[in-house]
Amino acid sequence: MFSLGETMEFLIGNHFSTPVGQRIERATSGSLQSEDWMLNMEICDIINETDEGPKDAVKAIKKRIVGNKNFREIMLALTVLETCVKNCGHRFHVFVASQEFVEGVLVRSILPKYNPPTVLHDRILSLIQVSV
């Protein structure tokens, strides 16, 4: 028998299991002392060079942000997101500029019920201005 988590992972997929997802998981690990810019640029290369890269990257970034109580990981995910917005093409921009992503991921993460730190709140508002 599978646990509920394993069953859900099977049904919806593990967004960190793709090549770009694995790198996003590493680049947003709370154990990092600082941003890994080489890894962030490698993520951009995968997004730009593969068919599934943009969609897989957005899913992995969403997974790292939504429902995460580790604000360090969220901030690292926002750095990855910003790096991708600045270095990836239209195929990636279509996903992150969608109402679903902006409202369902970015705006949702700064709702008062999550009590986000001011720095996170300000960073997300800044990113929304850049990405839409």
Side-chain angles (χ1 to χ4, degrees):
M1 235 350 138
F2 293 109
S3 71
L4 179 59
E6 291 169 326
T7 303
M8 291 304 295
E9 186 173 297
F10 174 76
L11 293 174
I12 62 173
N14 178 354
H15 302 303
F16 295 139
S17 66
T18 65
V20 73
Q22 290 171 353
R23 286 162 180 84
I24 289 170
E25 184 177 34
R26 286 198 328 255
T28 60
S29 170
S31 65
L32 286 178
Q33 296 300 308
S34 64
E35 294 89 351
D36 185 335
W37 292 107
M38 293 283 289
L39 187 54
N40 291 354
M41 293 310 296
E42 187 179 335
I43 290 165
C44 292
D45 289 342
I46 294 171
I47 290 169
N48 289 327
E49 296 170 4
T50 63
D51 289 338
E52 297 298 317
K55 181 176 70 173
D56 290 344
V58 168
K59 286 180 179 179
I61 291 168
K62 176 181 178 180
K63 180 174 175 128
R64 187 55 98 186
I65 294 173
V66 173
N68 193 343
K69 293 183 181 12
N70 183 330
F71 293 120
R72 172 94 179 116
E73 289 181 354
I74 295 173
M75 291 297 283
L76 288 167
L78 295 175
T79 298
V80 170
L81 176 62
E82 183 176 19
T83 304
C84 295
V85 166
K86 292 179 177 178
N87 293 284
C88 296
H90 178 74
R91 295 182 315 126
F92 182 77
H93 293 167
V94 167
F95 286 104
V96 297
S98 72
Q99 181 177 357
E100 177 186 351
F101 186 80
V102 172
E103 290 181 4
V105 177
L106 299 178
V107 173
R108 178 179 171 190
S109 65
I110 58 173
L111 292 174
K113 71 178 182 178
Y114 296 116
N115 196 26
T118 304
V119 66
L120 176 63
H121 189 272
D122 293 348
R123 179 87 184 274
I124 287 179
L125 292 178
S126 173
L127 271 173
I128 290 170
Q129 290 178 331
V130 170
S131 65
V132 292

